Amino acid sequence: MSRALVNTANTNVNANNEDENLEQATNYNFDNLATENIRDAHVLILYTGGTIGMIRNEYKVLVPKPNAFAKKLRSNSCMYDRAYAEKRFGTTGPLVLPMSASKNRRIVYTVLEYSPLYDSSNATMDDWIRIANDIKQYYENFDGFVVLHGTDTLSYTASALSFMLEALGKTVILTGSQLPIFDIRSDGLDNFLSSLLIAANYNIPEVCVFFGTNLFRGNRVCKVSTTSFEAFESPNYPPLGKVNVELEVDYCAIFPSCKLEKFHVHASLNKNVGQLRMFPSITTNLVKAFLQPPIEGVVLLSYGMGNMPTNREDLIKELREATERGIIIVNITQCPSGRVSRIYESAKQLEETGVIPGIDMTPEAALTKLAYVLSKENWDKETKRQMMRTNLRGELTAEQLSSLQDLDLVGVVGRSLGISSFAQFQELGSILFPAIINAAVLARDLAKLESLKVYGSHVSQTNADGRTALHIACCEGNVEIVRCLLRMGANVHVKDRFDRTPLTDAIEYDRHEIIGILMQCGAHLHGSAYAIGEKMCTAASVGNVKRLKSFLLANGDLSQKDSSGRTPMHLAALHNKVQVVKFLLDQDVETNSYDKMGLLPYDFAKAAGSVQAESLLSSTKPSIVVAVEPSRRK
């Protein structure tokens, strides 16, 4: 399947131009609107197909039309601020949403359109892998991702991606619609805009599904209606968020990665898995045939709380023999909600045959988890069986965390204020927890931090300035506190109201060891390359080698130009910062880079009388070849 980044209204961009358009989408023009305090959020839309982007043809039949989606977005004032976008980016720039009254961040988004667009009923595991790899490819260029997908198999794709995207630190939302987004009456517009706003403004490091008014965990949803605008439900887990007049996010319900590792994709799935649904009078031959090679994993949909007929020894025998051959069988209930349990003899008997209880996983989550676990070649069979019992991405219910009311401080304060509802306790907790966590960080109290996690606090909750405990810890410079927060699930990508991430703070306080830890956990430089170049040039102009080392540790390009085309070497040469020049030369930076005036770093040093810098750069000066006229040659 080929892909196209669609940024223009009149040009179809093919895969060969993806890098150019991606740079255009993420490296905006500083010459326009330079006086505006610009805070951007960049979102990538992966448009795979589905009803949401379809257009009615001359027969009034819904059909996908290649390269039409982004063009029509530009014609809708709710989805494209033409005046602002063209003034800032030009007519071929990325898409920009109108400014929200409640948010002071511009949402810039780019459409990656798949070709051909596909109906979700035709989706395969290869398509899931393709989506995961696209997110991987553009992960550092965008703040969030929205996948537009047909509704029929959306829950399968969401479940699969939740397992494949390992150590995820950014928001990924799948959505679709029952009616096309461009119809006069449609649920598509709300689903699209809400998903875009959430992906841009809220840090929810999970694969989610947004539909109707609910934001769900992706591996907890099932499609429950072919006609309702509330087409999806999460039968065994509450929504992560609810969109009405305001968006309410239950941060304590989020399941963050707590591993000190960088985001990566497990781009492999085992296709030898299937679902076997029990029904009265099911034959032995059918079950036996189903359990034959090449099958390696089976989701068994049993009755009620995990029950099988107790008088069918023939079925029990086939299941036992299958597990002894190494087939992993996971038992889940056929009921829309609830979980399997050993409360009945038949469920216990199943478990004794080697069948694994799937707790309260959905059929989609159980199947895709099996495909994921069985593809892990470095895990032995027993490890794979154990992983199917383990809560990897919030797909099954393990032990419950205490509710907010169980924390004495919140309870005492709440009761003194006359608070009684859970929603009000949540709001109070969102105010108190950041203050408590931040105080523990400042006090370097590791025990208190761990205890707060036990009470269900969301370690990445923000204070009034949008800053998290990790921001503060990076400023304070205590390595063990930083490690503790990361193990508790602190997110390295959260931006405060000043557009600063924890990595930004670590760089500006030159916390080199902390920068290394953050990079290990997937942190990366945010914002325009030109803006980063400005900061490095400033450091070079004052001789701040330590700061330049900080940027180097954060994978900064020490040859990056600022908006005037100058590099850190230009500024170091201009101000005769010899140690900086030596440091940059040791890093093999570009020395023959011209600024907008056509000057090299050597030219800066010579013009400014920076004798030492001029001497160091003299050997880097390009040779001038003088052409001799043929008539004067001897």
Side-chain angles (χ1 to χ4, degrees), residues 585 590-594 599-604 606 613-625:
L585 288 174
E590 176 62 51
T591 57
N592 293 328
S593 178
Y594 293 92
L599 299 176
L600 297 166
Y602 173 83
D603 299 325
F604 272 55
K606 186 174 182 178
E614 181 183 351
S615 175
L616 289 168
L617 292 170
S618 60
S619 62
T620 69
K621 182 182 177 183
S623 301
I624 300 176
V625 179

Side-chain angles (χ1 to χ4, degrees), residues 3-169:
R3 298 151 298 171
L5 273 172
V6 183
N7 275 334
T8 66
N10 302 311
T11 305
N12 298 330
V13 184
N14 60 34
N16 295 328
N17 294 327
E18 284 183 4
D19 292 339
E20 179 182 346
N21 283 274
L22 183 61
E23 182 178 358
Q24 182 184 36
T26 58
N27 207 1
Y28 47 75
N29 187 349
F30 271 79
D31 294 334
N32 296 330
L33 306 183
T35 59
E36 182 178 339
N37 182 20
I38 300 171
R39 295 177 64 233
D40 284 340
H42 292 266
V43 178
L44 179 62
I45 308 293
L46 281 72
Y47 174 37
T48 69
T51 301
I52 191 168
M54 288 185 178
I55 297 173
R56 298 186 186 276
N57 63 14
E58 63 273 22
Y59 304 108
K60 305 302 180 183
V61 176
L62 291 174
V63 294
K65 186 175 181 181
N67 305 312
F69 186 69
K71 294 178 185 178
K72 290 187 72 67
L73 288 177
R74 289 178 183 273
S75 66
N76 191 311
S77 60
C78 292
M79 293 178 275
Y80 182 57
D81 188 339
R82 181 178 298 278
Y84 175 87
E86 292 186 356
K87 182 178 181 182
R88 182 175 169 196
F89 298 111
T91 57
T92 61
L95 294 151
V96 185
L97 279 189
M99 197 68 171
S100 169
S102 61
K103 300 292 178 186
N104 59 349
R105 191 185 298 271
R106 278 283 179 180
I107 299 177
V108 181
Y109 65 105
T110 305
V111 177
L112 176 60
E113 181 174 306
Y114 282 32
S115 178
L117 297 167
Y118 61 83
D119 188 297
S120 73
S121 61
N122 295 327
T124 67
M125 291 187 183
D126 291 335
D127 295 309
W128 304 342
I129 292 171
R130 187 172 294 116
I131 294 169
N133 281 331
D134 281 338
I135 292 172
K136 175 186 177 181
Q137 181 176 353
Y138 299 114
Y139 187 75
E140 293 192 1
N141 301 102
F142 293 90
D143 299 302
F145 300 85
V146 174
V147 180
L148 302 183
H149 197 284
T151 60
D152 287 347
T153 62
L154 185 148
S155 54
Y156 283 96
T157 302
S159 294
L161 290 175
S162 74
F163 298 113
M164 298 168 68
L165 304 181
E166 300 185 327
L168 180 64

Side-chain angles (χ1 to χ4, degrees), residues 222-522:
C222 298
K223 186 176 180 181
V224 295
S225 174
T226 61
T227 57
S228 172
F229 284 167
E230 299 285 350
F232 289 84
E233 288 184 3
S234 176
N236 294 316
Y237 199 79
L240 300 179
K242 189 82 173 176
V243 175
N244 291 307
V245 175
E246 298 290 339
L247 171 60
E248 300 172 359
V249 177
D250 183 2
Y251 285 105
C252 291
I254 294 171
F255 194 87
S257 171
C258 297
K259 296 181 179 179
L260 301 187
E261 62 184 24
K262 191 175 183 178
F263 166 75
H264 56 284
V265 169
H266 182 74
S268 176
L269 292 170
N270 189 315
K271 297 180 180 179
N272 297 322
V273 295
Q275 294 179 345
L276 177 62
R277 184 182 178 94
M278 287 291 103
F279 57 88
S281 298
I282 186 172
T283 66
T284 308
N285 288 338
L286 188 154
V287 174
K288 184 174 183 177
F290 191 88
L291 297 174
Q292 295 306 304
I295 200 76
E296 296 180 51
V298 174
V299 178
L300 180 66
L301 289 95
S302 57
Y303 305 131
M305 299 180 75
N307 301 322
M308 286 274 289
T310 57
N311 59 349
R312 292 293 302 274
E313 282 295 331
D314 53 333
L315 298 183
I316 298 298
K317 176 177 176 290
E318 294 299 333
L319 294 172
R320 181 184 294 107
E321 290 179 354
T323 60
E324 290 173 351
R325 292 195 303 269
I327 297 175
I328 296 180
I329 304 176
V330 181
N331 182 24
I332 65 171
T333 178
Q334 296 180 12
C335 298
S337 63
R339 56 187 292 162
V340 299
S341 171
R342 294 182 55 167
I343 190 171
Y344 293 104
E345 179 186 355
S346 57
K348 182 179 178 181
Q349 186 180 26
L350 262 183
E351 197 168 338
E352 289 172 349
T353 67
V355 174
I356 300 169
I359 318 298
D360 57 353
M361 282 192 287
T362 63
E364 296 92 333
L367 183 78
T368 55
K369 184 177 181 179
L370 261 179
Y372 165 79
V373 167
L374 287 169
S375 69
K376 288 281 191 176
E377 295 181 355
N378 57 321
W379 290 350
D380 60 25
K381 185 64 68 175
E382 187 52 41
T383 300
K384 291 177 180 179
R385 289 178 57 84
Q386 184 58 42
M387 288 301 103
M388 290 306 301
R389 298 172 180 267
T390 304
N391 189 20
L392 299 179
R393 305 285 192 273
E395 73 280 0
L396 57 82
T397 303
E399 59 181 290
Q400 294 287 341
L401 293 173
S402 302
S403 64
L404 292 179
Q405 293 96 319
D406 292 335
L407 185 58
D408 290 342
L409 178 59
V410 176
V412 170
V413 175
R415 285 189 291 274
S416 69
L417 295 175
I419 289 175
S420 58
S421 73
F422 182 70
Q424 290 173 319
F425 272 104
Q426 279 190 308
E427 183 178 1
L428 179 60
S430 70
I431 297 170
L432 292 180
F433 272 131
I436 297 171
I437 294 172
N438 294 345
V441 168
L442 291 170
R444 304 188 176 190
D445 191 336
L446 290 170
K448 179 170 285 188
L449 286 177
E450 294 285 1
S451 69
L452 288 172
K453 183 62 176 178
V454 170
Y455 283 109
S457 68
H458 178 57
V459 72
S460 292
Q461 279 186 288
T462 58
N463 63 15
D465 281 331
R467 294 175 64 75
T468 67
L470 188 58
H471 282 88
I472 295 170
C474 289
C475 293
E476 291 297 304
N478 187 287
V479 175
E480 288 308 310
I481 291 292
V482 169
R483 288 186 185 276
C484 177
L485 290 171
L486 291 169
R487 285 194 299 267
M488 292 165 62
N491 195 288
V492 298
H493 301 296
V494 178
K495 295 180 181 179
D496 66 12
R497 67 184 298 183
F498 310 107
D499 238 23
R500 298 165 65 97
T501 66
L503 181 61
T504 308
D505 287 335
I507 290 172
E508 296 200 2
Y509 282 86
D510 297 313
R511 311 294 191 190
H512 289 176
E513 186 175 358
I514 290 176
I515 292 172
I517 297 170
L518 294 175
M519 296 297 290
Q520 176 189 344
C521 295

Side-chain angles (χ1 to χ4, degrees), residues 195-216:
S195 298
L196 194 52
L197 288 166
I198 296 169
N201 292 301
Y202 295 85
N203 195 271
I204 303 170
E206 290 200 39
V207 175
C208 308
V209 168
F210 182 84
F211 221 90
T213 58
N214 291 302
L215 181 71
F216 299 113

